[in-house]
Amino acid sequence: MKGNSSANPSFLYLKIFIGIFILLSLITLLVRSINLIEHKTFNSSGYNVLLLGENDAEVLSFAKDRGVRRMVRLHVADGGKALAKKSLLSSSMILGVPLDGIIFSDANPEKVFSFKNSVSALFKSSSIKKNRVGDLDFLLVYAAISRTFKDEIFEKKVDVTDLLEERIDPKEFADLFKREEILNAKISVSIINASGVNGVAKKVAAMLANEGYYVI
């Protein structure tokens, strides 16, 4: 019968094309999801990330102890440029807190975590640079900020010069960054300085103690 669409080769080819397109889209989505999970480095129960802006810097710390969310925002005046060339370990020792990753951006720290940037991170079109921060980690931070209420945020402001010249005792941050899960686990660590640089063991010890580890 004329007009039977199932007998029309063009219509059949169109259905095959749509089917292949949907299949390829699902495969691409699956591969992207696997890639996101493989490059995830943050522990969902708690992590610390350094956010370097054009001028200032922030340490964002998230912990979930006994079902209660806790967020710490440490503002570091003029820390953006001063810490930009530092390694993850060096920045951790200077700030007195173990860092899980670093995020670099020309924008103000407050504007980095937005819905637009989070979507851009998924599709690799973001201009934000990351060190040991996967795209899924970026989404994790965005989600944590979005779900945290103001009364759950603990804020402190310091000057980067005071940190670099060690005018601030790292123990000053102990109450801010301690995590209950580490304290309850009673984890003990011993540190041996094999770097050849004097004072490194002391700084690493203070950094770990601030998060709740018992340093022998």
Side-chain angles (χ1 to χ4, degrees):
M1 178 183 291
K2 292 183 178 180
N4 188 348
S5 59
S6 62
N8 189 334
S10 299
F11 183 75
L12 180 62
Y13 294 151
L14 179 62
K15 289 198 296 184
I16 293 173
F17 174 78
I18 293 174
I20 293 173
F21 177 78
I22 293 174
L23 179 62
L24 291 175
S25 298
L26 291 173
I27 292 173
T28 302
L29 183 61
L30 178 61
V31 171
R32 182 64 179 134
S33 300
I34 293 173
N35 185 263
L36 284 172
I37 295 171
E38 284 182 343
H39 289 84
K40 180 180 179 296
T41 60
F42 290 177
N43 185 335
S44 57
S45 62
Y47 50 91
N48 307 314
V49 59
L50 174 61
L51 178 58
L52 296 178
E54 186 176 4
N55 296 309
D56 298 336
E58 285 187 356
V59 177
L60 301 177
S61 177
F62 302 89
K64 190 175 182 181
D65 298 315
R66 300 175 185 176
V68 178
R69 288 194 306 273
R70 187 171 186 270
M71 175 179 166
V72 175
R73 189 187 293 270
L74 176 65
H75 302 269
V76 184
D78 297 324
K81 294 178 181 178
L83 298 173
K85 295 182 180 180
K86 301 288 184 183
S87 67
L88 192 65
L89 179 58
S90 296
S91 297
S92 297
M93 289 191 294
I94 291 170
L95 294 163
V97 55
L99 297 172
D100 294 280
I102 302 176
I103 297 174
F104 307 86
S105 175
D106 293 335
N108 292 329
E110 295 80 5
K111 297 181 180 179
V112 171
F113 294 101
S114 64
F115 179 76
K116 178 182 177 182
N117 286 338
S118 300
V119 173
S120 298
L122 282 175
F123 295 97
K124 297 290 186 181
S125 59
S126 176
S127 59
I128 296 173
K129 297 179 181 179
K130 303 183 286 291
N131 179 9
R132 293 185 63 82
V133 178
D135 295 333
L136 193 58
D137 296 321
F138 190 90
L139 291 175
L140 193 67
V141 177
Y142 171 68
I145 292 175
S146 302
R147 298 198 321 267
T148 304
F149 298 104
K150 288 186 177 180
D151 59 351
E152 296 172 328
I153 301 176
F154 300 82
E155 297 191 78
K156 184 177 180 64
K157 295 184 179 181
V158 296
D159 191 280
V160 73
T161 306
D162 292 334
L163 290 171
L164 293 172
E165 296 181 2
E166 300 182 8
R167 291 200 292 261
I168 297 178
D169 188 343
K171 292 181 181 179
E172 192 174 323
F173 303 138
D175 292 334
L176 286 174
F177 296 104
K178 269 190 172 59
R179 286 165 50 185
E180 289 295 328
E181 62 173 8
I182 296 175
L183 288 170
N184 293 336
K186 298 179 180 178
I187 302 173
S188 300
V189 295
S190 180
I191 300 170
I192 299 174
N193 186 1
S195 67
V197 181
N198 292 331
V200 171
K202 182 180 179 181
K203 291 182 179 179
V204 172
M207 175 182 70
L208 295 177
N210 282 347
E211 206 171 37
Y213 291 95
Y214 176 68
V215 182
I216 301 173

